[in-house]
Amino acid sequence: MDDKELIAAVQAGEREAARRLYDRHAARVYRLIYRMTGDAGLAEEYTQDTFVKVFNRLSQFRGDSAFTTWLHSVAMSAVLTGMRKLRRLRTRETGLLDAETVAAATPDDDPHLRERLRAELERLPVRLRLPVVLHDVEGFTHREIAGILGVPEGTSKARLSEGRARLRVALASVAAER
Amino acid sequence: MDERELEQRLRKLGEEWRVAPEPPLDRMWARIEGRIHAAPGGGWRWTRRFLPLAAMLVLGFGIGQLVPSLLRSPAEPGTGPLASAPSPDGVPVQEAVNAPFVGVAANYLERVTALLVTLAAQSAESRRGESVEYSTAQARDLLVTTRLMMDAPEPLDPRLRVLLEDLELVLAQIVQLPSRPSAPDVSLIDQALDQRDVLPRLRVFLAEHNPSLP
């Protein structure tokens, strides 16, 4: 059974089909969300949010795009919404994000290029980090990224390019020291 | 660093940066199903055939006095946020701090028991061919309380937590009951609860926390 047939079965009320559809895609969604959040608890929570939304809105899926693209776009939306809430909460309560940013910005904390790359990637603004992670780390195509993020392909390419440029600049000094 | 080197490094970074642990697929699925069932008008069609009710008549006995020990992990006796230390007025500090939560938990267990006792009685009537009506309002209210307890900052016994998760699913399914369930629905009540072993686990759990219980 392909995704289309499974979706039709789910819409007809077959619980087993829903479980099969979930089993087919949940691990990848979870891994992607974990990549975005770096936290197993959040990855679990946002993966659940994603599938609850997907199953509740399955009737709205028109099949214009691949199911996986739609699924990942819902996942990204869940992540971004969740992270925004988390950021507001943390900022209000402890200013934790500011402290983390300052710490990550200290070059001496990450003497090795790999560690520095990791830190710089995490410091990229979300609008630039998402295309870099989705394309360069996860291997999505620009077409898929455009579908997931709801932007034109050209925007995906431009943001990837800008993200990479920022990374190169940030890493230039470290590379020169080697 | 040129474009190609950066690309290679990023791809390599993907092998070790934020590599996810094994996803807890079954646990997530259980939660997803519970949330879908709990949504107004939600749930798969098949769920309407499942009416997870049972005779949990023994559980109402002595619940209030059990609750404090249920809330404390047995692996950490006398430690952690629920450990008691005397305050100047002689009332253990943490008991005082957690008293509202313990009260809510006790009330919750009493209400769950009362609901299930009532529904079990109605199920028996239904099996005898009598027409019964279910009210899902209370189950919906208890479902909300269950989730609040699961999200509470106080440490719970891990087995109680799992039990709450199962009760969440059971209550979520009860919420989906039609007001006048058919006889075949009722025949599946025991089957649905047996699948989760809720009643035996509750009995074992309660017996371990209070040996004076029958």
Side-chain angles (χ1 to χ4, degrees):
Chain A
M1 254 193 194
D2 61 18
D3 282 351
K4 211 169 184 177
E5 292 167 321
L6 280 177
I7 289 167
V10 175
Q11 288 172 334
E14 290 182 26
R15 182 247 184 189
E16 194 55 40
R19 177 66 203 236
R20 284 179 64 187
L21 196 63
Y22 166 83
D23 280 342
R24 186 175 290 176
H25 297 286
R28 176 128 203 238
V29 168
Y30 177 87
R31 282 198 295 270
L32 178 62
I33 294 177
Y34 185 87
R35 194 83 89 174
M36 295 299 171
T37 61
D39 182 284
L42 291 178
E44 196 174 327
E45 183 182 335
Y46 298 157
T47 302
Q48 290 166 34
D49 291 346
T50 299
F51 278 94
V52 168
K53 278 183 191 166
V54 162
F55 285 126
N56 282 338
R57 298 177 187 173
L58 208 52
S59 59
Q60 296 171 18
F61 176 62
R62 294 180 309 223
D64 297 339
S65 60
F67 174 70
T68 49
T69 303
W70 182 60
L71 174 65
H72 285 114
S73 73
V74 176
M76 280 304 102
S77 170
V79 170
L80 295 176
T81 304
M83 295 301 278
R84 268 197 293 270
K85 282 183 190 166
L86 204 60
R87 183 181 292 267
R88 276 200 300 271
L89 193 66
R90 285 183 175 173
T91 304
R92 198 181 308 143
E93 287 183 349
T94 63
L96 186 60
L97 289 179
D98 291 342
E100 285 175 350
T101 303
V102 171
T106 309
D108 290 341
D109 286 346
D110 298 306
H112 304 296
L113 190 59
R114 190 183 58 194
E115 294 301 318
R116 183 64 185 271
L117 176 58
R118 182 186 309 208
E120 293 298 339
L121 182 60
E122 291 179 4
R123 287 185 62 218
L124 277 182
V126 172
R127 71 181 181 85
L128 301 181
R129 194 195 320 151
L130 285 177
V132 173
V133 171
L134 290 172
H135 187 275
D136 287 348
V137 179
E138 289 292 330
F140 284 97
T141 66
H142 281 296
R143 186 174 183 178
E144 289 170 324
I145 295 169
I148 291 170
L149 299 181
V151 298
E153 270 187 66
T155 303
S156 169
K157 288 177 185 173
R159 289 182 183 175
L160 174 68
S161 178
E162 188 181 346
R164 284 178 177 172
R166 288 205 193 185
L167 288 176
R168 278 201 307 276
V169 169
L171 297 174
S173 61
V174 182
E177 292 167 8
R178 289 156 57 214
Chain B
M1 183 182 295
D2 62 19
E3 187 90 357
R4 177 176 282 189
E5 186 185 351
L6 177 65
E7 228 178 293
Q8 286 173 345
R9 286 188 175 280
L10 282 168
R11 210 164 289 282
K12 194 162 177 55
L13 186 67
E15 296 168 9
E16 57 189 34
W17 176 69
R18 293 184 176 180
V19 177
E22 195 61 31
L25 294 178
D26 288 337
R27 186 169 66 208
M28 290 193 296
W29 176 250
R31 292 269 180 118
I32 289 164
E33 279 199 304
R35 287 172 60 182
I36 289 173
H37 296 318
W44 322 116
R45 289 180 188 176
W46 61 270
T47 61
R48 296 193 181 280
R49 300 201 307 267
F50 285 79
L51 307 180
L53 314 174
M56 297 167 76
L57 299 166
V58 297
L59 298 179
F61 183 80
I63 283 174
Q65 66 187 40
L66 292 177
V67 169
S69 64
L70 295 180
L71 294 174
R72 186 182 304 122
S73 168
E76 302 172 348
T79 62
L82 281 180
S84 298
S87 67
D89 59 2
V91 178
V93 172
Q94 283 301 330
E95 277 185 20
V97 169
N98 291 292
F101 181 68
V102 170
V104 169
N107 180 262
Y108 160 79
L109 288 174
E110 286 168 358
R111 290 172 63 206
V112 167
T113 303
L115 173 70
L116 293 174
V117 166
T118 304
L119 292 178
Q122 288 179 323
S123 298
E125 290 172 10
S126 180
R127 281 194 205 93
R128 291 195 300 269
E130 298 172 26
S131 175
V132 297
E133 286 193 27
Y134 287 90
S135 168
T136 57
Q138 194 183 6
R140 197 178 295 280
D141 185 35
L142 285 167
L143 183 59
V144 171
T145 307
T146 306
R147 289 175 175 157
L148 288 173
M149 285 182 65
M150 291 166 69
D151 292 336
E154 282 78 4
L156 294 175
D157 183 302
R159 286 173 303 161
L160 177 60
R161 178 168 290 285
V162 175
L163 209 50
L164 285 175
E165 288 173 358
D166 283 342
L167 278 173
E168 179 193 22
L169 292 181
V170 168
L171 289 168
Q173 290 171 346
I174 291 174
V175 163
Q176 297 301 314
L177 287 173
S179 58
R180 291 177 181 274
S182 62
D185 291 335
V186 178
S187 71
L188 292 170
I189 292 172
D190 292 338
Q191 181 186 334
L193 269 180
D194 283 350
Q195 284 173 348
R196 300 193 183 283
D197 284 335
V198 172
L199 186 55
R201 283 161 53 213
L202 266 172
R203 282 177 175 149
V204 168
F205 193 85
L206 293 173
E208 284 179 359
H209 284 77
N210 188 346
S212 67
L213 274 177

